[in-house]
Amino acid sequence: MSRADDIRAAALELFTRLGYEATTMADIGRAVGIRGPSLYKHIASKQDVLAQIMIGTMEDLLAAHRAAVTSGGDPVVRLRRAAEAHVRYHARHRLEAFVGNREIRSLVEPHRSRVLALRTEYEAGFRAIVDAGVAEGCFQVASARLVSYAILDLGMGVAAWYREGGELAEDTIVWRYGDFALRLAGAGSDG
């Protein structure tokens, strides 16, 4: 892991625990064992670290989504895969999900617009699958946008409560949440 990766990881943990505004450069420096002013050799600003975390999270989610749906299949298969990838990411990246949801208010331009555009693109990917399923008669929904928002909330909720080693294994949760996504879209499930 590079020094920049160490700084990002420390900032992520601190932003989660203390919040972006309450975290100082000195806090981040202490967490990685260097003085706050020395951080500027590795990062431009606290804002840039937050932007890197949030943009990186959205880019990772988009990549996982694309990988899940590129293997094809009908809309039912694609929606299940996309929802499972979404839930799995949130189970494995709880801190990124927490900071990404809570700290959007702390981003300044142009970072805020970039993250919002990536979020819009991500939601549109789910909506496109639901729209395709409606067109093919696989799904019955009043609003594809509302269904896509509900599916996104599934993953974000998992990030809040899931803990490795808990009552249910990650794979079980991912599979069941795939079922939930299909039900939200008005498709039956045999799982």
Side-chain angles (χ1 to χ4, degrees), residues 86-158:
H86 178 70
V87 170
R88 190 174 305 281
Y89 181 90
H90 283 76
R92 293 181 178 178
H93 301 275
R94 293 178 18 255
L95 300 185
E96 289 89 343
F98 183 79
V99 169
N101 289 325
R102 184 177 73 182
E103 298 298 348
I104 188 73
R105 67 180 188 256
S106 299
L107 280 178
V108 298
E109 294 300 339
H111 306 304
R112 182 179 169 81
S113 291
R114 173 92 191 277
V115 170
L116 291 174
L118 291 168
R119 284 180 169 194
T120 297
E121 179 182 350
Y122 188 60
E123 181 275 326
F126 283 93
R127 189 167 12 104
I129 297 169
V130 174
D131 283 336
V134 169
E136 292 182 28
C138 304
F139 302 145
Q140 296 179 5
V141 303
S143 168
R145 184 181 303 270
L146 187 59
V147 170
S148 68
Y149 288 158
I151 292 169
L152 294 176
D153 280 345
L154 290 175
M156 291 183 277
V158 167

Side-chain angles (χ1 to χ4, degrees), residues 88 91-92 94 158 161-173:
R88 190 174 305 281
R92 293 181 178 178
R94 293 178 18 255
V158 167
W161 63 263
Y162 174 75
R163 298 298 177 270
E164 189 174 339
E167 177 184 343
L168 297 173
E170 178 184 304
D171 287 342
T172 301
I173 294 163

Side-chain angles (χ1 to χ4, degrees), residues 17-146:
R17 189 165 40 89
L18 304 175
Y20 173 80
E21 294 298 329
T23 299
T24 66
M25 290 295 276
D27 294 331
I28 297 169
R30 255 190 313 281
V32 293
I34 60 177
R35 293 186 29 201
S38 298
L39 284 174
Y40 293 106
K41 294 177 184 173
H42 305 283
I43 59 171
S45 68
K46 183 173 79 164
Q47 180 66 203
D48 282 349
V49 174
L50 179 63
Q52 288 171 12
I53 290 167
M54 294 181 75
I55 291 167
T57 296
M58 289 312 306
E59 289 173 343
D60 290 347
L61 281 165
L62 282 161
H65 180 86
R66 286 185 203 108
V69 300
T70 47
S71 58
D74 67 17
V76 172
V77 170
R78 290 194 320 267
L79 185 60
R80 173 178 279 287
R81 287 182 187 149
E84 288 176 351
H86 178 70
V87 170
R88 190 174 305 281
Y89 181 90
H90 283 76
R92 293 181 178 178
H93 301 275
R94 293 178 18 255
L95 300 185
E96 289 89 343
F98 183 79
V99 169
N101 289 325
R102 184 177 73 182
E103 298 298 348
I104 188 73
R105 67 180 188 256
S106 299
L107 280 178
V108 298
E109 294 300 339
H111 306 304
R112 182 179 169 81
S113 291
R114 173 92 191 277
V115 170
L116 291 174
L118 291 168
R119 284 180 169 194
T120 297
E121 179 182 350
Y122 188 60
E123 181 275 326
F126 283 93
R127 189 167 12 104
I129 297 169
V130 174
D131 283 336
V134 169
E136 292 182 28
C138 304
F139 302 145
Q140 296 179 5
V141 303
S143 168
R145 184 181 303 270
L146 187 59

